[in-house]
């Protein structure tokens, strides 16, 4: 049994003047026009498909010869999908079905970096010293990848 | 891969999240487990980068490639993206296996392996327990973790430690099954009337394992010419398809041929070769798995016993300098073509390089020792003997409760010649350390 196809493909949002007709768009990318990208950034909350792509670590790309408006829209969408702010990661954690992590991230201390290890520590069962949850196991495995 | 049969029994997962050569060294485990009457199926969990090796493993029903590059790439974006991806991958295998045999001592594999087992008691090999502690169900797993690959102290081939941890018998190595499509490619590429060619693999996975420069009389170019003319045989350069342009250039200069093929096809080619000369790479394990004799040119991190490929292998380890073209040709004459060794050619070489032949010892463990015809200095013969004694002593300590008095005496008498191993084993908390300390205490007053 192979892993799901989406894992083996880079998660990309492709912002293009040509929209769906752009032959340069990577396989499996979500293709948006500049206007659609701009609309997505202006909405109060992200659409389910964009939230899923953010959870997969999506990057926002455009062609070098795109119009300035399309490039600006791509830039705004990139910023909206960025998870630099831990509060955004709290949303992502909720989206991927990790409520404990979401809770931990919503009150994340500013001086603590968000790493596999610190996240794993946040999910340990505090009642039992060092007892590893499934989530902590996965995070610690990734820490040592 | 074997045909899947519908029968009840244990569902087994073998976890081998390592490199190509490491995956191949688990062949005895997958083969041994698949032959057990109580086993219904054997699945292999491996990295997608090792798909070629995984596809050759005997006894495996289904391969599950985990996406190494994709997980790393997601981790660079944000940790939750990698968690999301790994969670989705693991979910497909989670709690599905009655027995999980982990052959990888990496922390990644040790954290993941317990998630695959239906029951915590269904794990063999190393793993991380719920208290975040490193555990192993067999002492060989702890030994591998503590003693690692350091050539000064480790005496075991890792494949033997894997087999011990998995509970499969040590004696005998499985041969990779023949492949008709690969046979057809070899038929069309090799002249059946010509003598069996000599294969060369020149590219190592890391620079410290490289032998000599490609061009010039003292490097691969010189070796190819020497082998072609001295033994009057074709030389075939092996490598990954991506190596083809470089190999083509070398072939153009020397008259060699190039077979930059997949592992499956390379395995078939090796069956038809008189021998392989190679740096430490996956090809030496492939050669061992199809019964092809090999000479391995080892330097840097490649030395030691951890990655011994199997019997019929000669190891040429650099001491003061890598083996010369003359050294390799001399050893090839004896090892590949059973010519009588010429003593005066070997004396000087034995000061520069260490030559050992791999063989299975009576208990089934793989060892390496200088052949009788090689003028090895006394310290090398002593080290061969001590390494064999340590193997036997450790193995004994993992399976028997009785002290092996003769082995312990031998190790005690030679402790000053083998200080690193002795000191480490002396401090070991397990039975062997206990025996050594007791033996030392008993022997000292008389000494």
């Amino acid at each position: 049994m192979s892993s799901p196809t989406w894992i083996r493909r880079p998660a990309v949002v492709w912002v293009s003047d040509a929209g769906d007709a752009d032959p340069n768009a990577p396989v499996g990318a979500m293709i948006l026009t500049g206007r659609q990208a701009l609309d997505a950034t202006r909405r109060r909350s992200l659409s389910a498909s964009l939230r899923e792509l953010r959870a997969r670590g999506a990057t926002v790309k455009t062609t070098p010869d795109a119009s300035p408006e399309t490039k600006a829209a791509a830039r705004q969408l990139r910023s909206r999908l960025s998870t630099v702010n831990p509060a955004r990661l709290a949303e992502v954690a909720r989206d991927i079905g990790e409520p404990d992590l979401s809770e931990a991230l919503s009150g994340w201390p500013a001086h603590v970096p968000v790493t596999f290890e610190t996240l794993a520590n946040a999910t340990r069962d505090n009642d039992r010293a060092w007892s590893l949850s499934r989530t902590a196991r996965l995070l610690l495995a990734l820490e040592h990848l | 891969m074997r045909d899947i049969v519908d029968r009840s029994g244990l569902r087994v997962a073998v976890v081998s999240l390592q490199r190509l050569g490491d995956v191949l060294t688990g062949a005895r485990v997958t083969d041994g487990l698949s032959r057990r009457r109580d086993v219904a199926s054997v699945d292999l969990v491996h990295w997608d980068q090792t798909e070629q090796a995984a596809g050759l493993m005997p006894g495996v029903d289904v391969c599950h490639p985990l996406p190494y590059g994709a997980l790393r790439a997601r981790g660079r974006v944000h940790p939750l993206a990698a968690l999301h991806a790994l969670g989705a991958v693991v979910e497909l295998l989670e709690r599905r296996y009655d027995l999980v045999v982990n052959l990888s001592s990496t922390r990644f594999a040790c954290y993941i392996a317990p998630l695959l087992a239906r029951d915590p008691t269904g794990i063999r090999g190393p793993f991380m327990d719920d208290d975040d502690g490193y555990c192993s169900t067999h002492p060989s797993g702890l030994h591998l973790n503590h003693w690692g690959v350091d050539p000064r102290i480790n005496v075991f081939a890792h494949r033997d430690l894997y087999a011990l941890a998995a509970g499969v018998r040590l004696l005998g190595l499985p041969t990779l099954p023949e492949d008709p499509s690969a046979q057809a490619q070899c038929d069309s590429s090799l002249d059946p009337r010509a003598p069996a060619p000599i294969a060369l693999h020149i590219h190592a996975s890391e620079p410290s394992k490289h032998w000599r420069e490609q061009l010039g009389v003292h490097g691969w170019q010189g070796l190819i010419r020497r082998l072609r003319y001295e033994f009057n045989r074709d030389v075939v350069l092996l490598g990954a398809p991506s190596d083809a342009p470089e190999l083509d250039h070398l072939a153009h200069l020397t008259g060699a041929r190039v077979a930059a093929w997949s592992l499956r096809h390379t395995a078939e080619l090796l069956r038809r070769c008189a021998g392989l000369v190679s740096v430490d790479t996956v090809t030496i394990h492939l050669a061992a798995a199809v019964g092809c004799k090999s000479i391995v040119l080892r330097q840097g991190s490649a030395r030691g016993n951890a990655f011994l490929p199997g019997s019929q292998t000669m190891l040429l380890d650099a001491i003061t300098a890598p083996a010369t073209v003359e050294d390799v040709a001399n050893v090839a004459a004896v090892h590949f073509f059973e010519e009588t060794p010429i003593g005066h050619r070997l004396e000087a070489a034995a000061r520069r390089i260490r030559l050992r032949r791999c063989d299975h010892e009576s208990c089934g463990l793989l060892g390496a020792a200088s052949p009788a015809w090689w003028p090895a200095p006394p310290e090398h013969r002593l080290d061969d003997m001590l390494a064999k004694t340590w193997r036997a002593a450790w193995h004994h300590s993992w399976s028997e409760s009785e002290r092996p008095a003769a082995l312990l005496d031998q190790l005690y008498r030679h402790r000053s010649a083998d200080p690193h191993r002795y000191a480490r084993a002396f401090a070991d908390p397990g039975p062997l350390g206990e025996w050594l300390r007791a033996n030392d205490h008993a022997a000292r007053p008389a000494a």
Side-chain angles (χ1 to χ4, degrees), chain B residues 125-203:
Chain B
F127 67 98
M128 300 301 289
D129 67 12
D130 280 349
D131 295 331
D132 208 11
Y134 183 89
C135 301
S136 177
T137 54
H138 190 276
S140 63
L142 292 175
H143 184 88
L144 192 146
N145 194 45
H146 293 156
W147 293 65
V149 298
D150 186 341
R152 291 177 311 161
I153 55 174
N154 171 51
V155 293
F156 286 101
H158 281 185
R159 64 171 62 222
D160 288 340
L161 298 177
Y162 298 157
L164 288 167
V168 301
R169 60 199 292 269
L170 286 169
L171 286 168
L173 281 178
T175 304
L176 295 184
E178 295 187 359
D179 181 324
S181 74
Q183 284 174 336
Q185 178 158 343
C186 285
D187 290 342
S188 63
S189 303
L190 297 179
D191 179 356
R193 293 159 301 177
I198 300 171
L200 260 61
H201 190 119
I202 69 175
H203 275 141

Side-chain angles (χ1 to χ4, degrees), chain B residues 105-414:
Chain B
S105 51
T106 62
R107 287 292 188 269
F108 181 92
C110 290
Y111 279 114
I112 295 297
L115 294 173
L116 311 188
R118 280 191 214 283
D119 186 281
T121 59
I123 304 171
R124 299 289 177 276
F127 67 98
M128 300 301 289
D129 67 12
D130 280 349
D131 295 331
D132 208 11
Y134 183 89
C135 301
S136 177
T137 54
H138 190 276
S140 63
L142 292 175
H143 184 88
L144 192 146
N145 194 45
H146 293 156
W147 293 65
V149 298
D150 186 341
R152 291 177 311 161
I153 55 174
N154 171 51
V155 293
F156 286 101
H158 281 185
R159 64 171 62 222
D160 288 340
L161 298 177
Y162 298 157
L164 288 167
V168 301
R169 60 199 292 269
L170 286 169
L171 286 168
L173 281 178
T175 304
L176 295 184
E178 295 187 359
D179 181 324
S181 74
Q183 284 174 336
Q185 178 158 343
C186 285
D187 290 342
S188 63
S189 303
L190 297 179
D191 179 356
R193 293 159 301 177
I198 300 171
L200 260 61
H201 190 119
I202 69 175
H203 275 141
S205 55
E206 51 189 85
S208 68
K209 294 182 181 179
H210 283 313
W211 178 55
R212 287 174 180 270
E213 67 279 6
Q214 283 190 29
L215 304 181
V217 292
H218 300 299
W220 289 104
Q221 186 181 358
L223 179 61
I224 294 166
R225 288 204 168 128
R226 177 73 184 260
L227 295 176
R228 286 193 71 209
Y229 294 114
E230 185 157 335
F231 303 112
N232 197 24
R233 283 165 192 261
D234 269 348
V235 166
V236 183
L237 302 178
L238 308 179
S242 58
D243 298 332
E246 208 175 338
L247 297 179
D248 282 338
H249 178 61
L250 192 56
H252 176 71
L253 295 172
T254 56
R257 303 172 67 181
V258 174
W261 294 350
S262 68
L263 286 189
R264 183 175 293 281
H265 291 91
T266 303
E268 193 54 44
L269 177 62
L270 287 168
R271 283 185 213 277
R272 303 176 185 211
C273 286
L276 164 75
V277 179
S278 175
V279 291
D280 179 48
T281 182
V282 62
T283 311
I284 64 173
H285 299 289
L286 207 54
V290 297
C292 174
K293 292 178 179 178
S294 63
I295 296 171
V296 188
L297 307 172
R298 310 196 314 168
Q299 33 274 315
S301 60
R303 292 169 304 143
N305 291 320
F307 307 114
L308 299 183
S311 56
Q312 302 206 59
T313 303
M314 286 286 192
L315 310 172
L316 262 69
D317 291 359
I319 303 172
T320 57
T324 63
V325 167
E326 173 90 10
D327 299 334
V328 180
N330 289 339
V331 174
V334 179
H335 187 45
F336 295 164
F337 305 112
E338 294 170 7
E339 293 181 10
T340 307
I342 301 171
H344 70 269
R345 287 186 181 180
L346 309 177
E347 296 288 346
R351 289 191 286 274
R352 285 182 281 104
I353 54 173
R354 183 173 182 186
L355 177 80
R356 289 180 297 163
R357 183 190 162 98
C358 299
D359 268 314
H360 288 280
E361 291 157 4
S362 56
C363 56
L365 294 167
L366 193 59
S370 299
W373 54 266
W374 179 254
E379 62 270 24
H380 289 174
R381 300 254 179 228
L382 177 63
D383 185 63
D384 292 343
M385 183 275 287
L386 286 172
K388 185 176 178 180
T389 309
W390 278 114
R391 271 190 294 279
W394 280 112
H395 191 216
H396 187 96
S397 78
W398 297 334
S399 54
E400 310 282 342
S401 55
E402 200 174 312
R403 284 169 47 172
L407 295 176
L408 296 174
D409 282 346
Q410 197 153 31
L411 295 173
Y412 179 80
R413 271 189 285 120
H414 293 100

Side-chain angles (χ1 to χ4, degrees), chain A residues 59-143:
Chain A
T59 52
V60 179
K61 292 184 174 175
T62 188
T63 49
D65 58 352
S67 66
E69 294 79 17
T70 297
K71 284 183 178 172
R75 218 168 20 247
Q76 287 195 34
L77 184 58
R78 195 175 293 124
S79 163
R80 182 75 193 270
L81 294 187
S82 164
T83 55
V84 171
N85 180 349
R88 293 257 178 87
L89 277 179
E91 281 176 36
V92 175
R94 198 180 54 227
D95 289 343
I96 65 171
E98 295 284 353
D100 292 347
L101 265 185
S102 179
E103 195 180 329
L105 280 161
S106 59
W108 198 258
H111 65 281
V112 178
V114 180
T115 65
F116 293 122
E117 193 181 8
T118 56
L119 288 176
N121 285 336
T123 65
R124 289 180 199 272
D125 183 346
N126 292 330
D127 296 335
R128 290 178 54 207
W130 299 103
S131 186
L132 292 184
S133 63
R134 175 187 189 271
T135 305
R137 269 192 186 279
L138 295 177
L139 286 164
L140 288 169
L142 289 163
E143 163 81 9

